[in-house]
Amino acid sequence: MTDSVTRPLSRRRALGLGLAVAGSALIGGRAAAQQPEPAAFGYHDVLRRARELVSKPYDPGVRELPQELRNLNFDQYREIRFRSDRALLAGGGGQFRMQMFHPGFLYQRPVVVNVVRDGIATPAPYSGALFDYGANKFQRPLPVDLGFAGFRLHYPLNDPRVFDELISFVGASYFRALGRNQVYGLSARGIAVNCGGPEPEEFPDFREFWVQMPGPDDESATIYALLDGASVTGAYRFTVYPDVETVVDVTATLIPRRPIAKLGVAPLTSMFFYAENQRRHFSDFRPELHDSDGLLMQTSSGEFVWRPLRNPKTPQISAFWDRDPKGFGLMQRDRLFEHYQDLDLNYQVRPSYWIEPHEGWGEGRVELVELPTDDESNDNIVAFWVPSAPAEVGKERSFGYRIRAMTSDARLHTGGRAVNTYPTRAAALGSAEPVPPGTQRFIIDFSGGDLGFFLADPTRVSVVPSTSSGAILRTFVTPNPKIGGFRVGVDVQADTGKTMELRAFLKAGDRALTETWTFPYAPENAP
């Protein structure tokens, strides 16, 4: 469905138009000029609103919620549930349903949610009758114009008889989508402003949404959103295609209000607490805790780069420079329940999000921000694209990209993948040589691609290591039939006060067999 769909004539409007033409013919012998039909609501309307906003001072004002809603804790807020029998969008005869989030708890800014039908946008009115408040009891009736915190779309994703949650928008510019047999983990955001930068981070809000009423045969849903913040406004269009790997096509036009030190495009936010590459001494029975375990990138040259995530001791920022990248994303690569042992949170079925630019994004960098956390409920990982060109005040910048909610990234490239990273002592394999200060061994397991073919003749496989500083002391490659691949060892020695960026991949002759594994190491930040 496009933005330029003409509003269809109703029977009543068609009859009225016919009578008007007939009357004018009787009076003057000629038909009166017809007024043009109003254009159907679409992306151009949201962009016009963004342009109007950017010309005015930013208004951060938020109408204060009733105290009972402001003071709700997590458990109390969870008691408030939308009544599924009141779901919107059923009138279009399609397979999508919309439910609303109630304001309260962390969600203090109500938003307007409109439904677009026959090209006309109509606000969805708030009513307390839409919600089951559970054990919550309020002394006074809630305002009738309270509004909503956000919304979510449902679709028969896993069972043709059940409307499963497909995508949700709630809080600032955050949204999340699910594919088949996935549960929520990481989030996407509309934009990141000064994340990990020298200036305080800003969190622009989606102030208003417009949801296109899907028809009986529509296999996708279209959502428009208006972004507003102290430094930027923007217009967004999201087209959601539910599937085994649900896809969200995003079109965004951003208009800076003021200079922005760091503009993060297509940001992803996740949680990494600990895993095999960074075992902390937490008193928890679960071996690993993370929504994502690595950043995967495909450069403009086609090279795939894998960077395991960390929970660092101090905030860390890594930058991967490129021109017109082919993709990047935060991956949940480890899919074994035994590695998590969590019957409730099901970390092994959290989705991975892969970003595919629709067109060349020019020069810039994929930036990874890793923050320390002592709590698995904190999202401490952010990845996004930072254009090299500065964000100029009033100058519109448009970006198009696709977000794919994946369960496995194996199909993205045919080469072997780094499936395990183990830091350990350099003498762990029994070497009698003294270990120099600042020395560390990294063991990397590569699996997949053609690696199984070379297990019959492992001498043909070699490792190609490199480092930005320090020294690589020794390497080894050992067949690992347990994973159908190879185990690589790299011993390194860092320069004092410097972080060395390690890289390694496997090859046979001149042919690369795997993606490139990369990892930062400094003795003071050792895993």
Side-chain angles (χ1 to χ4, degrees):
M1 189 170 293
T2 65
D3 291 342
S4 58
V5 176
T6 303
R7 180 185 172 191
L9 291 176
S10 67
R11 180 181 178 186
R12 178 176 297 179
R13 291 174 61 230
L15 178 60
L17 180 60
L19 291 174
V21 172
S24 66
L26 289 173
I27 296 172
R30 65 180 181 273
Q34 300 180 23
Q35 294 296 320
E37 284 290 321
F41 182 91
Y43 187 66
H44 58 278
D45 294 286
V46 187
L47 183 55
R48 174 179 52 79
R49 293 277 299 275
R51 289 166 177 165
E52 292 171 354
L53 279 177
V54 82
S55 65
K56 303 174 184 177
Y58 173 62
D59 180 11
V62 181
R63 189 184 66 178
E64 192 172 73
L65 294 177
Q67 183 176 358
E68 296 95 330
L69 296 178
R70 295 198 311 270
N71 295 340
L72 290 175
N73 60 34
F74 175 74
D75 291 326
Q76 291 170 329
Y77 183 74
R78 289 184 62 187
E79 286 276 323
I80 304 177
R81 298 181 179 274
F82 192 91
R83 298 181 185 275
S84 59
D85 60 334
R86 303 292 183 91
L88 287 74
L89 305 184
Q95 291 293 295
F96 293 88
R97 300 290 184 270
M98 181 165 68
Q99 299 186 15
M100 306 304 194
F101 291 106
H102 201 284
F105 181 48
L106 297 177
Y107 309 113
Q108 302 287 317
R109 180 189 288 275
V111 300
V112 178
V113 182
N114 303 273
V115 176
V116 181
R117 187 168 190 177
D118 295 335
I120 299 175
T122 304
Y126 167 84
S127 170
L130 297 173
F131 296 91
D132 179 351
Y133 291 88
N136 293 299
K137 304 297 180 184
F138 303 120
Q139 295 182 354
R140 296 172 297 175
L142 296 175
V144 295
D145 59 346
L146 190 59
F148 304 104
F151 69 96
R152 58 192 180 188
L153 296 186
H154 291 238
Y155 183 87
L157 190 62
N158 302 299
D159 186 322
R161 303 162 297 178
V162 178
F163 288 94
D164 304 296
E165 189 166 342
L166 171 67
I167 188 169
S168 67
F169 292 81
V170 62
S173 68
Y174 287 82
F175 62 99
R176 302 192 291 181
L178 291 173
R180 188 169 297 167
N181 298 320
Q182 297 173 356
V183 300
Y184 279 139
L186 79 168
S187 300
R189 292 160 63 178
I191 198 68
V193 177
N194 296 329
C195 179
E199 299 181 9
E201 183 173 1
E202 297 178 21
F203 293 89
D205 297 281
F206 284 139
R207 291 282 186 93
E208 189 166 359
F209 295 93
W210 296 262
V211 181
Q212 185 75 44
M213 174 76 78
D217 300 322
D218 287 346
E219 298 181 356
S220 65
T222 300
I223 301 159
Y224 304 97
L226 176 66
L227 183 86
D228 192 25
S231 295
V232 64
T233 71
Y236 286 75
R237 177 174 56 222
F238 304 91
T239 306
V240 187
Y241 301 88
D243 209 329
V244 175
E245 293 183 348
T246 289
V247 167
V248 183
D249 273 329
V250 183
T251 300
T253 301
L254 303 170
I255 315 174
R257 268 198 170 97
R258 60 190 187 190
I260 299 174
K262 186 191 296 185
L263 183 68
V265 177
L268 303 175
T269 299
S270 193
M271 180 275 293
F272 180 89
F273 201 23
Y274 59 87
E276 85 281 350
N277 66 301
Q278 191 179 39
R279 297 198 183 280
R280 295 286 187 87
H281 298 291
F282 293 113
S283 56
D284 198 303
F285 72 95
R286 296 167 294 179
E288 299 187 27
L289 286 176
H290 49 77
D291 289 332
S292 306
D293 55 7
L295 170 67
L296 182 65
M297 296 159 283
Q298 186 182 17
T299 68
S300 56
S301 66
E303 179 188 21
F304 280 88
V305 179
W306 173 256
R307 162 65 150 76
L309 297 178
R310 304 172 300 168
N311 180 359
K313 298 176 181 178
T314 59
Q316 301 291 314
I317 298 177
S318 302
F320 304 87
W321 294 85
D322 200 6
R323 180 181 180 86
D324 296 335
K326 294 184 177 180
F328 70 93
L330 291 176
M331 303 288 116
Q332 183 75 317
R333 187 167 272 185
D334 191 337
R335 295 293 176 181
L336 294 178
F337 167 79
E338 292 76 13
H339 291 179
Y340 302 98
Q341 293 293 341
D342 197 313
L343 294 171
D344 298 318
L345 298 179
N346 293 304
Y347 286 106
Q348 73 278 2
V349 291
R350 304 290 173 103
S352 301
Y353 285 175
W354 178 248
I355 305 292
E356 301 170 341
H358 282 328
E359 69 283 320
W361 281 0
E363 294 184 352
R365 63 189 185 271
V366 173
E367 191 159 297
L368 175 65
V369 178
E370 298 169 298
L371 303 175
T373 182
D374 291 325
D375 188 341
E376 66 182 286
S377 66
N378 291 333
D379 284 344
N380 62 323
I381 303 294
V382 190
F384 45 84
W385 172 258
V386 182
S388 291
E392 300 179 25
V393 175
K395 184 176 180 180
E396 296 182 5
R397 301 275 308 267
S398 294
F399 297 90
Y401 56 95
R402 170 170 291 181
I403 305 176
R404 190 180 300 275
M406 311 178 70
T407 298
S408 173
D409 61 89
R411 67 170 191 79
L412 289 177
H413 65 95
T414 59
R417 303 181 305 149
V419 295
N420 294 311
T421 298
Y422 301 104
T424 187
R425 293 173 52 244
L429 295 184
S431 173
E433 300 178 12
V435 179
T439 301
Q440 179 81 24
R441 171 170 289 165
F442 289 92
I443 294 176
I444 311 108
D445 283 334
F446 288 97
S447 177
D450 274 349
L451 293 180
F453 172 80
F454 289 95
L455 287 175
D457 187 5
T459 60
R460 297 176 59 187
V461 176
S462 60
V463 59
V464 182
S466 61
T467 179
S468 61
S469 62
I472 296 174
L473 303 181
R474 65 182 67 85
T475 65
F476 61 84
V477 180
T478 303
N480 187 348
K482 299 295 184 182
I483 61 171
F486 289 82
R487 174 163 290 181
V488 172
V490 182
D491 289 356
V492 299
Q493 183 177 15
D495 292 333
T496 302
K498 287 187 177 181
T499 297
M500 56 192 308
E501 294 290 339
L502 301 170
R503 290 169 61 91
F505 66 92
L506 294 178
K507 71 172 186 175
D510 294 330
R511 175 190 169 200
L513 298 176
T514 69
E515 65 191 8
T516 300
W517 169 91
T518 184
F519 200 78
Y521 169 65
E524 61 270 22
N525 289 320

